[in-house]
Amino acid sequence: MRLPKIVTTSQDYSLQLFRADLIAGVTVAMVALPLSLAIAIASGAEPAKGLVTAIVGGFFISLLGGSRVQIGGPTGAFIVVVYGVIAEHGYDGLVLATFMAGILLLVAGYFRIGNLIRYVPEAVVDGFTIGIAIIIASSQLKDFFGLATGAVPADFLEKLPVLWEARASASLSAFLIALLTLVLIVALRRLAPRFPGLIVAVAAGSLAVVVMGLPVETIASRFGALPNTLDLPALPVVTVDRVIELFPSAVVIAFLAGVESLLSAMVADRMIEGQHRPNAEVLAQGGANVASALFGGLPATGAIARTATNIRAGGKTPVAGLVHSVTILLVMLLAAPLAGYLALPAMAALLMLTAWNMSEPHKWKGYLRLPASDRLLLLTTLVLTVLVDLTVAIGVGVALGLALRLRDRKSPPDDWTTPER
């Protein structure tokens, strides 16, 4: 079994490399901080769980992973699954499902299944990614417009009528804060792409709420004060019935973690002209998810946007990822009360933009030029993700993709005869 990248890169590590990693790690932490909070809130969990995942999961992904520059933590791809598991099985059910997913990933890495995940049809990945982006965007409409709806159904088709009926309760203050944050994020990305504009934009929108005394919900007003310590690790309660009940969710979490981490690593390879180790990466996802579950966190995986930010900020080795996790831990220990002032419409704007980026609009024209079978596969996976269930979408998508590949294989000639033995 090949060693993690941090071991192979530490042999010729230097002070110059550490300086680059330190700057990149702190920079990407400022991007990951508001995203981790927003992803946790959108997933139906307490905001602090996002920080725990970025700290613990992100640390082990960098420590054990097969990519030099991978940054891990909670990601938007998990929002749909996590929300559904919490709604049906409670947060303790999510912790157990995450723990089980980590075990599944460790087994997959040991048997070198990481090489097989790469053969999942790209159309399936694109389909459920766009579907997840649509669901995330719809889930943020309530906070983006400040709607007074109470509990919003998780199902997409049930959610839209509830939001529409509450349209008269929209808050102009909430909408303006969300719009201000959105414009600032886009402007800062274009004017200073290496600058951690996410935290600045969200902080600016939240500061406007405090200074002007606007009637806008914040993290503290809805969820209370954020904790400034990590809980001690503890094993989730495991029973046979519970394991059987949560096994399908664990499989989906493991699949998403494996696919997204390997996609992120491949994107990073193209940016740095490097080569990641897929099975080491899958093992790292397994270890990270087991660790995140022990600390009560969310599922973790490699994050494409944060990994790209790390590369653009000058990150060279896995040390940048470790610095990123330690920086978030220090913020949690020293400045947790300040995070409570972050405005929910600002966080909603951040996730709206995240959903837009997840859908990869630059690829939309290219989808029209795909073969008819790939377009069908993408559309089927997308529709099933939005209207039915992500588990069903992935299962049907992969099965249909396999069937199409078998159909397209060259058939033997009609006069084929059994060779002599």
Side-chain angles (χ1 to χ4, degrees):
M1 187 177 297
R2 303 184 74 180
L3 296 173
K5 283 287 188 179
I6 194 169
V7 175
T8 58
T9 57
S10 63
Q11 298 169 357
D12 54 356
Y13 200 67
S14 65
L15 182 60
Q16 184 178 3
L17 280 175
F18 177 70
R19 287 173 181 165
D21 286 337
L22 179 64
I23 294 172
V26 173
T27 301
V28 78
M30 294 302 100
V31 173
L33 187 66
L35 264 176
S36 300
L37 292 167
I39 288 169
I41 293 170
S43 301
E46 296 176 2
K49 301 302 183 184
L51 298 182
V52 171
T53 311
I55 294 166
V56 178
F59 185 88
F60 280 96
I61 285 171
S62 294
L63 182 68
L64 305 175
S67 169
R68 286 194 290 121
V69 291
Q70 181 87 284
I71 300 295
T75 65
F78 282 118
I79 289 176
V80 177
V81 177
V82 170
Y83 191 97
V85 174
I86 293 176
E88 187 173 351
H89 305 287
Y91 193 80
D92 60 331
L94 173 70
V95 171
L96 179 55
T98 303
F99 184 82
M100 292 165 59
I103 300 296
L104 290 173
L105 285 163
L106 288 173
V107 172
Y110 178 80
F111 287 105
R112 300 183 178 275
I113 298 177
N115 293 321
L116 299 179
I117 295 178
R118 294 181 299 174
Y119 293 102
V120 174
E122 187 174 355
V124 173
V125 176
D126 290 335
F128 73 67
T129 301
I130 296 172
I132 290 170
I134 292 171
I135 296 173
I136 291 173
S138 68
S139 72
Q140 297 308 300
L141 292 174
K142 175 186 174 182
D143 287 333
F144 194 94
F145 292 99
L147 301 176
T149 62
V152 178
D155 184 81
F156 181 78
L157 292 179
E158 294 177 5
K159 180 187 305 178
L160 295 183
V162 172
L163 294 173
W164 179 250
E165 289 174 6
R167 64 189 183 279
S169 65
S171 165
L172 180 61
S173 299
F175 174 70
L176 291 177
I177 292 300
L179 192 61
L180 169 67
T181 305
L182 196 62
V183 170
L184 278 176
I185 292 174
V186 174
L188 288 172
R189 277 187 176 176
R190 292 187 176 180
L191 297 175
R194 294 191 175 187
F195 187 71
L198 290 184
I199 188 69
V200 173
V202 173
S206 303
L207 183 62
V209 172
V210 175
V211 171
M212 293 188 282
L214 299 176
V216 172
E217 275 196 294
T218 63
I219 288 179
S221 68
R222 181 180 293 183
F223 300 99
L226 291 177
N228 58 0
T229 57
L230 283 176
D231 292 334
L232 293 175
L235 281 169
V237 178
V238 181
T239 64
V240 174
D241 291 341
R242 200 72 162 151
V243 168
I244 295 172
E245 181 184 0
L246 290 165
F247 185 75
S249 299
V251 170
V252 174
I253 291 172
F255 177 83
L256 282 177
V259 169
E260 188 163 5
S261 67
L262 293 177
L263 284 174
S264 178
M266 285 189 283
V267 170
D269 285 348
R270 289 196 291 268
M271 294 180 71
I272 65 173
E273 297 182 354
Q275 176 131 22
H276 74 285
R277 297 168 181 172
N279 290 301
E281 193 61 34
V282 173
L283 283 170
Q285 305 306 315
N289 279 282
V290 168
S292 182
L294 292 177
F295 282 88
L298 305 169
T301 186
I304 296 175
R306 274 160 273 174
T307 297
T309 300
N310 180 41
I311 295 170
R312 288 195 294 265
K316 303 296 183 184
T317 77
V319 173
L322 303 182
V323 170
H324 139 267
S325 296
V326 172
T327 301
I328 296 176
L329 174 61
L330 291 175
V331 171
M332 184 179 187
L333 296 176
L334 303 175
L338 291 178
Y341 289 103
L342 295 178
L344 292 181
M347 308 294 276
L350 171 58
L351 279 182
M352 282 282 198
L353 192 59
T354 300
W356 173 259
N357 292 331
M358 279 182 65
S359 70
E360 298 183 301
H362 61 279
K363 288 186 175 181
W364 291 354
K365 287 184 178 179
Y367 294 149
L368 299 177
R369 295 191 294 271
L370 290 174
S373 59
D374 284 352
R375 292 201 304 270
L376 172 65
L377 195 56
L378 189 153
L379 188 61
T380 300
T381 309
L382 190 162
V383 171
L384 289 174
T385 298
V386 175
L387 300 184
V388 183
D389 180 75
L390 184 59
T391 308
V392 174
I394 292 174
V396 172
V398 172
L400 184 58
L402 177 60
L404 291 171
R405 283 186 178 181
L406 291 174
R407 185 203 65 177
D408 293 338
R409 289 179 62 182
K410 292 182 179 180
S411 301
D414 293 337
D415 59 351
W416 186 86
T417 57
T418 305
E420 293 183 4
R421 294 287 188 260

